[in-house]
Amino acid sequence: MDRRHVLKALAMTPLLTPNWSFSAQQHKFDAVVVGAGVFGMWSAWYLRQAGLSVAVIDQSTPGHSGSSSGGESRVTRTGYGDSELYTEWSHRSLAAWKKLSEASSLPLFHPIGMLMVHQEDDPYVMASKAVLKKFGIPFKALNTKQLRNNYPVMKVKDGERGILEPNAGGLMARRGVQTLAVKAAQAGVHIFQGTVSPIDSTRSRQGALTEIEYKHGNGIGRIQAENFIIACGPWLDKVCPEAMANRLFVTRQEILYFQASREVTGKLPTWATLPYYGLPDIEGRGFKVANDTHGTRVDPSKVNRHVHDEVIQQTRLFLAERFPGIANQPLLESRVCQYENSSNGDFVIDLHPGLNNTYVVGGGSGHGFKHGPAVGRYVTDRVLQRGTVIEQLSLESKATVQDRQVI
Ligand SMILES: Cc1cc2nc3c(=O)[nH]c(=O)nc-3n(C[C@H](O)[C@H](O)[C@H](O)COP(=O)(O)OP(=O)(O)OC[C@H]3O[C@@H](n4cnc5c(N)ncnc54)[C@H](O)[C@@H]3O)c2cc1C
């Protein structure tokens, strides 16, 4: 089947919504983004806002169930220990999420606040407070008594403290990505479906990638571009094996939703008593609870997506200690997802080592969702060669052994 036939077949392929744009004529763009997750879609959005012709290609649909952006909800917070980068990025990103949420018929952001429970003098929280103060981001320090009075659903141990970010809250993940994809398509971003073959820098022309090859059904297609952004989440090392070179660690993560309405949880915001974190019931989905500890390493295409019984039991034990009123509530829903971790938890946003027009974007490491807009802006700056290069996000700074630093 030649390209003309593939493009014709694709044009007839019913995609997620009639708003997806598709041009059977155009197959050369200023920028092609591979991956329609939160990083890819925000990159496409800002590249298009900068006036570039942009296409996005994904093996499935934006925010699909197997992707890392495909879950129901995500926590957003700005407290990040001493990391000014992630504090600033999540703060700026939240403004963009709010703007998108305001333009959406269904909410993308629930401004219910974010509470981290901690030990007195916890160095991470002390550092967070200093950075939040520096950026003028509001927070409230709560003592044991205030925690107990404010959140009676939660069992607070003697001496525990809390830091509340009143402006933070919960993002609707899958809905957010889909909403952005529809907006991007309306703004002229072309969205294709196809599975892109691994990028091979030995086939470059003067150090540049000229086209990518993708499979769709039984056909093979090609798209040409001046710039390529490879934002393949947990598949990043499969599409960019040379660049990632054993520096992506995909882990299996389990999430549970228990029946506990807001009448039960009161004004409890999104919360973290690490390693557990969660959200109160949002839009009737139940009380979300998950363990942030990295699970076993998996292949995202083959991961067993049945939650293990032991995890349900362990979670109930945690709930019995921390939220006793919820420990025996019925399980409403469960989900298995994956973190696409870099070695230390810092994102990877860098030029492909063998290609001078191809950017590798990923390593969200279990905390990337909230930063989607800032990632998209930074990618756009890199493509347009403006702004400063952030060494912390380079490939070079990543190791082949996992040593998590970013929480
Ligand atoms: C359980 C869980 C809880 C989390 N909680 C939070 C949280 O509370 N707060 C927070 O900020 N972050 C959180 N995160 C992290 C965040 O969700 C991820 O970091 C983020 O969604 C990653 O987005 P991405 O665009 O890099 O990847 P993805 O969303 O996976 O997107 C990658 C896309 O690339 C496509 N693709 C891959 N290979 C190909 C190919 N060959 N051809 C074409 N397309 C391809 C895929 O189909 C996919 O759509 C959590 C993640 C998980 C899993």
Side-chain angles (χ1 to χ4, degrees), residues 58-59 64 68-69 74-75 196 255 337-338 340 367 370:
D58 198 288
Q59 62 191 355
H64 65 91
S68 294
S69 306
R74 294 288 184 263
V75 176
V196 172
I255 299 157
C337 186
Q338 65 281 312
E340 63 299 318
H367 70 109
K370 66 180 84 57

Side-chain angles (χ1 to χ4, degrees), residues 34-41 57-64 66-70 73-76 80 171 173 177 194-198 214 231-236 239 251 253-255 277 279 288 290 335-340 347 361-371:
V34 183
V38 73
F39 283 2
M41 280 318 311
I57 178 163
D58 198 288
Q59 62 191 355
S60 181
T61 51
H64 65 91
S67 71
S68 294
S69 306
S73 55
R74 294 288 184 263
V75 176
T76 180
Y80 255 96
L171 291 166
V177 174
T195 302
V196 172
S197 307
Y214 63 93
C232 289
W235 291 270
L236 192 59
V239 183
T251 57
Q253 307 296 142
E254 289 160 298
I255 299 157
Y277 70 93
L279 290 94
K288 174 176 171 176
R335 227 184 111 75
V336 174
C337 186
Q338 65 281 312
Y339 285 173
E340 63 299 318
F347 306 151
V361 178
S365 306
H367 70 109
F369 195 89
K370 66 180 84 57
H371 299 283

Side-chain angles (χ1 to χ4, degrees), residues 339-402:
Y339 285 173
E340 63 299 318
N341 306 289
S342 68
S343 57
N344 61 359
D346 274 320
F347 306 151
V348 175
I349 308 177
D350 202 359
L351 259 184
H352 187 292
L355 296 164
N356 59 23
N357 65 340
T358 302
Y359 291 86
V360 182
V361 178
S365 306
H367 70 109
F369 195 89
K370 66 180 84 57
H371 299 283
V375 168
R377 272 187 190 277
Y378 181 64
V379 168
T380 302
D381 284 347
R382 293 292 309 263
V383 168
L384 299 179
Q385 298 188 356
R386 59 187 193 195
T388 46
V389 173
I390 304 173
E391 171 54 29
Q392 193 181 337
L393 308 179
S394 68
L395 278 161
E396 188 100 311
S397 63
K398 307 299 179 302
T400 51
V401 177
Q402 233 184 324

Side-chain angles (χ1 to χ4, degrees), residues 267-279:
K267 55 180 179 175
L268 183 75
T270 65
W271 53 271
T273 65
L274 291 173
Y276 285 91
Y277 70 93
L279 290 94

